[in-house]
Amino acid sequence: LLAILGGNGTGKSTTIGLISGVNRAYRGKVSVLGHAPQEVLSRVALLPQDPQTLFVKNTVELDLAEALSGLPLSKEEKNDRICKATSQTRITHLLARHPYDLSGGEQQRAALAKLLILKPRILLLDEPTKGMDAAFKEEFAAILKELTEEGKTIVLVSHDVEFCAEYADLCAMFFDGSVLTTEPPRKFFSGNTFYTTAACRMARRVFPGAVTCQEVIRCCRN
């Protein structure tokens, strides 16, 4: 799980747009799994900032079925894919609901399920925790962990530094279209004076290297 962080306009969303094949590079080359992005579209899936742009049907179940309508799969194979994706994203109880009637966190999970049924190898997520409360973020992080354990690569663009510090494997800092540094979360945030977590700002002089609330709590107990 690679988290791309940085200010507005630095090129984060543009980068995942290039990786997904939605955008084309004006210069240079983009290689995804050894190919041009347009050659591996079925292996890459992009979850945009607004998940509602992916919904086209009146229920979540119909929306998921629509994503498989053009694939040469049997009815049983389609049902198996839908069952697995809804189970992974914890939305089985939402299948009869209209996608627009779901909460922000539920919409993110329903949109993610629609991508997962296509079995992508790389997932690109643009501000996925936007509008989520703490409980939804924790559940969403558990889903992402399961996906990485399956072997999927996840590239996450986010301003949510606390979420990235807690759950990312690597963090990259973007500035003016370039990657300035890529480090594991603890090194990335503890070495950053301004772009860091609230826990790190408050405790860095007492507990150097602690960047999440849980790490600070553990240090206090010790």
Side-chain angles (χ1 to χ4, degrees), residues 3 6 28 34-35 55-56 72 99 153 164 186 190 192 201-202 204 206:
H35 302 274
F55 302 135
V56 296
T153 295
C164 296
R186 177 173 290 187
S190 63
N192 200 316
R201 288 195 188 95
M202 290 186 291
R204 69 193 331 161
V206 182

Side-chain angles (χ1 to χ4, degrees), residues 1-4 12-23 30-33 37 40-41 43-50 54 108 111-112 115-116 120-128 140 144 147 152-158:
L1 173 55
L2 169 66
I4 300 177
K12 304 185 302 299
S13 295
T14 299
T15 296
I16 60 173
L18 290 168
I19 297 171
S20 69
V22 172
N23 299 331
V30 180
S31 177
V32 181
L33 302 173
V40 289
L41 292 178
R43 310 298 299 278
V44 182
L46 171 63
L47 180 61
Q49 286 193 32
D50 184 2
L54 297 182
Q108 288 284 16
L112 181 60
L115 300 181
L116 291 179
R121 185 169 166 186
I122 299 174
L123 281 170
L124 308 170
L125 312 179
D126 197 352
E127 297 286 355
F140 193 72
L144 298 186
L147 294 174
K152 296 188 187 299
T153 295
I154 300 175
V155 181
L156 166 76
V157 165
S158 182

